[in-house]
Amino acid sequence: MAISDLHTPVMLERCLELLEPAISRPHAVVVDGTLGLGGHSEAMLERFPDLTLVGLDRDTQALALAGERLARFGARVHLVHAVYDTVDSALAALGIPSIDGALYDLGVSSMQLDEAERGFAYAKDAPLDMRMDTTTELTAADIVATYGQGELARLFREYGEEKLAGRYASFIVRERAAAPITRTGQLVDLLQRATPAAISNQGHPAKRVFQALRIEVNQELAVLERAIPRAIAALDLGGRLVVMSYQSLEDRIVKRIFAAGSTSTAPRGLPVELPEHRPELRLLTRGAETASDAEKARNPRSAPVRLRAVERIKEAA
C-alpha cells in the first residue's frame, strides 16, 4: 500500500489557498510543524516549485515514512525529529532566520490511530501507551498506575471535560489495587462498568478519558501554548500561519493567541493609534472554518476539525 493511501490530508485545498500568498514568494520557506505522513507537505512542494520545507515531527516512524514520500524533492526538504514547540531552535540549527508560512495539523495522526499497538484507540485492545514519540518514557499505563485519585480526576475533568471524572478516577484507583491496568481493553472495560446505566448511551465512556491521557502523556496543550507564539515570531512580514484543531481545548488556545495578536494595544480613548500599538496579526478566517459536508463524508476524520489562520502584518518590536 502506498503511503498516500494511509493518509488523507484534512482541508488540503483550503490550507494551500490560505498559505499561497506567502509560500509562493521566491525562495519561500514553510514549516510543517506536525509532518505526520507528509500529505500536506507533499502537496505544498508540488504546487510551489521554489519552496523549501522544514518538517517537524516527534514520531520517528512518521518521519521515516514521510522521508520516503518526500525524497524526490531532494535538498528542498529538511526533516527534523522534534516537537513543534521547538520550531525556533530547529530553524536556528538549519541557519534559517525567518519563514514565510507554517502549518500545524494538531492532534493524533491517522497512522497513530490505525496502529493498534500504539494504544491511542479505545476500540482496539493494545498496550496502554499513547506516546507520540516512542523514545520518551511516560506512558498512559504509567499515569494510570501512579497518579493519585485527585490527580486523575483533575486530568479527566480538565483535559477530557469529563463529567464523571471523579467517579472514573475512584474506580481506577480501586481496580489497580487488585491488579495492574496495562492494556486499553482493561481500561475500557473498567470505564464501561463505572458508567451509570442511565447515561451509558451518551457516547463511548472511554472517549474523553483516552483524550485526557493522551494529552497528558504528550503534554499537548503545554506544547501548543509555547508553539503558536514561537511560530508567529518566526514569520516574516506577510508570512502566514494555519492551525487545524480537533478538540475544543486546542481551538480555545489558538483562538485566544490569535485574538490577542490581532488586537490593537492602544489605550482606550487615544485619538490616534501609534505604530507600536498596531496589531501584529491579521485574521484570515472569520471564526473557525470547518470541513465541507463532502469532505466529512469522504474522510470522517475531518469532521471535528476547526481551522484558523493569521497573517503577520507588523514586524517584531
Side-chain angles (χ1 to χ4, degrees), residues 222-233:
V223 166
L224 183 59
E225 288 273 11
R226 295 189 294 266
I228 300 300
R230 289 175 185 175
I232 292 168

Side-chain angles (χ1 to χ4, degrees), residues 96-276:
I96 297 173
S98 62
I99 59 175
D100 299 273
L103 173 66
Y104 290 163
D105 185 10
L106 305 176
V108 64
S109 74
S110 300
M111 181 189 71
Q112 290 163 342
L113 282 171
D114 290 339
E115 292 199 350
E117 64 271 18
R118 301 292 292 271
F120 286 100
Y122 51 79
K124 304 167 186 175
D125 183 48
L128 199 52
D129 193 319
M130 301 193 193
R131 290 173 298 168
M132 291 179 177
D133 181 351
T134 54
T135 67
T136 59
E137 293 185 2
L138 184 69
T139 68
D142 294 331
I143 293 169
V144 167
T146 63
Y147 279 31
Q149 184 172 327
E151 289 179 285
L152 288 171
R154 176 194 59 78
L155 198 67
F156 302 156
R157 186 166 51 251
E158 292 183 7
Y159 291 171
E161 300 180 295
E162 174 55 65
K163 293 177 181 176
L164 296 177
R167 182 178 175 89
Y168 287 156
S170 171
F171 268 69
I172 287 171
V173 169
R174 191 167 66 205
E175 189 99 351
R176 77 188 186 192
I181 303 168
T182 60
R183 299 190 64 82
T184 58
Q186 287 177 274
L187 183 56
V188 168
D189 177 64
L190 180 158
L191 294 170
Q192 287 175 326
R193 285 187 280 112
T195 304
I199 60 169
S200 61
N201 62 346
Q202 297 179 13
H204 199 290
K207 181 179 180 179
R208 296 180 185 278
V209 169
F210 271 55
Q211 173 180 297
L213 289 171
R214 193 198 80 215
I215 288 172
E216 178 73 359
V217 167
N218 300 290
Q219 291 294 295
E220 292 174 49
L221 299 184
V223 166
L224 183 59
E225 288 273 11
R226 295 189 294 266
I228 300 300
R230 289 175 185 175
I232 292 168
L235 288 176
D236 212 344
L237 196 63
R240 293 184 167 205
L241 169 62
V242 175
V243 182
M244 289 186 284
S245 308
Y246 293 81
Q247 40 100 342
S248 61
L249 298 172
E250 292 173 337
D251 185 53
R252 241 175 266 157
I253 292 171
V254 178
K255 179 183 179 181
R256 172 171 48 77
I257 295 172
F258 281 6
S262 59
T263 302
S264 172
T265 59
R268 187 173 295 178
L270 200 69
V272 177
E273 182 184 54
L274 299 174
E276 60 265 29

Side-chain angles (χ1 to χ4, degrees), residues 4-159:
S4 57
D5 295 330
L6 296 172
H7 175 230
T8 304
V10 172
M11 295 186 76
L12 177 59
E13 284 304 319
R14 183 57 175 148
C15 289
L16 294 175
E17 178 187 13
L18 285 163
L19 288 167
E20 181 171 11
I23 67 175
S24 61
R25 300 189 291 204
H27 313 299
V29 177
V30 69
V31 167
D32 187 339
T34 48
L35 182 69
L37 291 177
H40 288 98
S41 287
E42 181 180 49
M44 289 189 284
L45 289 161
E46 285 179 342
R47 186 79 57 96
F48 309 107
D50 201 25
L51 182 66
T52 294
L53 175 106
V54 177
L56 310 180
D57 208 293
R58 66 172 97 192
D59 189 325
T60 53
Q61 186 181 0
L63 274 175
L65 290 169
E68 293 175 25
R69 184 176 193 167
L70 304 176
R72 61 192 169 99
F73 298 105
R76 295 171 59 201
V77 175
H78 304 277
L79 302 187
V80 184
H81 178 221
V83 185
Y84 62 95
D85 65 334
T86 63
V87 61
D88 47 356
S89 55
L91 292 172
L94 293 167
I96 297 173
S98 62
I99 59 175
D100 299 273
L103 173 66
Y104 290 163
D105 185 10
L106 305 176
V108 64
S109 74
S110 300
M111 181 189 71
Q112 290 163 342
L113 282 171
D114 290 339
E115 292 199 350
E117 64 271 18
R118 301 292 292 271
F120 286 100
Y122 51 79
K124 304 167 186 175
D125 183 48
L128 199 52
D129 193 319
M130 301 193 193
R131 290 173 298 168
M132 291 179 177
D133 181 351
T134 54
T135 67
T136 59
E137 293 185 2
L138 184 69
T139 68
D142 294 331
I143 293 169
V144 167
T146 63
Y147 279 31
Q149 184 172 327
E151 289 179 285
L152 288 171
R154 176 194 59 78
L155 198 67
F156 302 156
R157 186 166 51 251
E158 292 183 7
Y159 291 171

